[in-house]
Amino acid sequence: MRAQAAVLDLDGTLVDTLGDFTVALNRCMAEMGWPALAPEWVERAVGKGSEHLIRSVLAHQLSQDAVKGVGCACPALTVDAYYPRVWAAYQQHYRDINGQFAQAYPGVTEGLALLRNQGLRMACVTNKPVAFAQDLLDKLGLADAFAVVYGGDSFERKKPDPLPLLKACEALRTDPAHTLMVGDSVNDAQAANAAGLSLVLMTYGYNHGQDIRQTPALAWLDRLDQIGPCLALR
């Protein structure tokens, strides 16, 4: 069986966006008067959508000695209480810097060209808000590779739920069994397995601090332009 289409994740798969996440979050932290977040911490927290990221940040910060004293003085200052303010600030800061501290991984441009030259239809499916995803792809010159782009707010459920991948297959007019999923995390793996897509995982992305090679897949690649042999699905 040969792949007819490919669904690709964005953050940690096509583009290294850790700098964007860290800068936007730390601008929020500065507004709150809270300690800055280390890039290493941010790297382990991203991947499950912006809402989950902000709640993880708030839970982490409210447990810190430099912050939790305020919460002790006023128990009402909880994750839920802070969430609307920090969410709004994060959205604005991310919109302002989207793509400024990000870059495509080595081999991505060549890999996308290889897939297109092989006649594969492609979709980008990410948990990032779709407007941010489209803007980022445009800025990095990657948007033309994709027939469709779906974000974490495109449907009622996001990865690791299979729904976004199944919707992408519908849009690409392809059977999931003839479609390749390319991602970097267990979220991508769980979504692909549930949707019935073959799975290729990139070794360099954001997988919550875990080695992605421990997750079963058709292949684990260091560069997207190594994907050619994976197009013969097995």
Side-chain angles (χ1 to χ4, degrees), residues 204-218:
Y204 46 66
Y206 314 136
N207 190 38
H208 317 294
Q210 303 298 313
D211 184 355
I212 196 61
R213 294 175 186 85
Q214 297 175 359
T215 300
L218 185 65

Side-chain angles (χ1 to χ4, degrees), residues 75-99:
L77 297 181
T78 62
V79 168
D80 286 339
Y82 277 116
Y83 180 84
R85 175 182 174 185
V86 177
W87 169 256
Y90 174 73
Q91 294 292 299
Q92 184 59 55
H93 287 307
Y94 203 99
R95 185 177 298 108
D96 291 344
I97 59 93
N98 188 10

Side-chain angles (χ1 to χ4, degrees), residues 21-108:
F21 284 120
T22 303
V23 170
L25 286 171
N26 280 335
R27 288 185 181 182
C28 295
M29 298 305 99
E31 282 188 17
M32 300 298 296
W34 293 350
L37 298 162
E40 296 79 10
W41 188 93
V42 176
E43 182 175 3
R44 293 191 297 271
V46 299
K48 295 185 177 180
S50 298
E51 299 90 343
H52 181 272
L53 175 62
I54 296 306
R55 289 189 176 277
S56 297
V57 167
L58 289 172
H60 171 75
Q61 293 290 60
L62 291 172
S63 71
Q64 303 302 303
D65 290 339
V67 176
K68 67 182 181 181
V70 176
C72 292
C74 181
L77 297 181
T78 62
V79 168
D80 286 339
Y82 277 116
Y83 180 84
R85 175 182 174 185
V86 177
W87 169 256
Y90 174 73
Q91 294 292 299
Q92 184 59 55
H93 287 307
Y94 203 99
R95 185 177 298 108
D96 291 344
I97 59 93
N98 188 10
Q100 292 183 27
F101 304 93
Q103 59 185 350
Y105 287 104
V108 163

Side-chain angles (χ1 to χ4, degrees), residues 157-166 187 190-192 194-195:
R157 300 186 299 278
K158 57 175 67 72
K159 297 180 296 183
D161 192 280
L163 177 64
L165 303 191
L166 294 173
N187 294 326
Q190 290 170 1

Side-chain angles (χ1 to χ4, degrees), residues 35 48 59 66 89 104 113 117 140 151 182 223 232 234:
K48 295 185 177 180
N117 291 339
L140 297 182
V182 183
R223 292 172 55 104
R234 24 178 224 282

